[in-house]
Amino acid sequence: MDVKEFRDELLTSFLVVQSYLEDSLNPVCRECGLTLQQFRILIELDRHPGRKAGDLSDTVGIQRGNIASICKKMEQNGWVERRRSQEDERIVMVSLTDKGRDAKKTVENMMTDRVRAVLERESEETFDNIRAGLASLCKVMERINSYE
């Protein structure tokens, strides 16, 4: 396969996965009062507690100018807590609250319930192949992203 074919297949696959994700996850997030962006923030804060708002912005792909207002709304809903860094008051630290952790878990459980019937019919080999393919894709993407 040449580079152009791979690029086209990769972009098409990303768009299809993104579409499926949005079509299945959006309704679940809405039921819980979350947006996809907010859910992504909850995931990131659960993985990496106490993030700087700027770092969180970079990680979840939200412009730095927008992360403050999104986190403010999430704080008003009780999902996150914001505080100024003691070392540098210009830096805002964002942490997940118990309510935020519960909201994340609720979305995850609802998604599991939605896909359980389909996934239970798949073989372990299918999942092994998917995991191996995704791991290989991530390695290639890391090399592409670090290429200068």
Side-chain angles (χ1 to χ4, degrees):
M1 174 180 297
D2 72 10
V3 172
K4 184 182 178 312
E5 286 177 303
F6 179 76
R7 180 208 60 210
D8 290 348
E9 284 188 29
L10 186 63
L11 291 174
T12 299
S13 296
F14 284 158
L15 292 173
V16 168
V17 168
Q18 181 180 0
S19 177
Y20 285 142
L21 183 63
E22 288 174 358
D23 291 348
S24 62
L25 194 53
N26 255 335
V28 173
C29 284
R30 275 196 304 272
E31 266 188 67
C32 296
L34 290 162
T35 66
L36 278 175
Q37 282 183 328
Q38 291 169 334
F39 181 60
R40 178 71 177 100
I41 289 170
L42 295 180
I43 291 170
E44 184 61 26
L45 290 174
D46 196 34
R47 286 185 186 152
H48 306 284
R51 298 290 308 266
K52 294 178 187 176
D55 293 344
L56 184 61
S57 168
D58 295 340
T59 304
V60 298
I62 297 172
Q63 292 180 359
R64 287 183 181 233
N66 295 333
I67 196 74
S69 62
I70 292 169
C71 287
K72 181 178 181 178
K73 182 169 176 70
M74 292 180 74
E75 184 176 47
Q76 291 168 346
N77 286 318
W79 297 320
V80 301
E81 177 180 270
R82 298 179 303 154
R83 62 179 166 68
R84 297 267 176 203
S85 168
Q86 292 181 351
E87 295 82 33
D88 185 344
E89 289 191 8
R90 295 171 297 176
I91 297 173
V92 175
M93 303 299 293
V94 184
S95 300
L96 188 62
T97 64
D98 289 340
K99 184 177 178 182
R101 196 170 285 103
D102 290 345
K104 175 188 164 286
K105 189 99 171 139
T106 299
V107 171
E108 290 171 340
N109 289 341
M110 290 172 71
M111 281 303 296
T112 298
D113 291 344
R114 286 185 84 161
V115 299
R116 177 175 280 121
V118 173
L119 297 181
E120 285 177 345
R121 294 184 199 133
E122 294 296 330
S123 70
E124 192 62 36
E125 181 182 6
T126 297
F127 293 113
D128 290 342
N129 290 335
I130 292 169
R131 281 190 290 271
L134 288 173
S136 294
L137 176 61
C138 288
K139 287 178 185 175
V140 170
M141 294 306 298
E142 285 174 15
R143 290 196 308 266
I144 290 171
N145 287 339
S146 65
Y147 185 76
E148 293 183 25

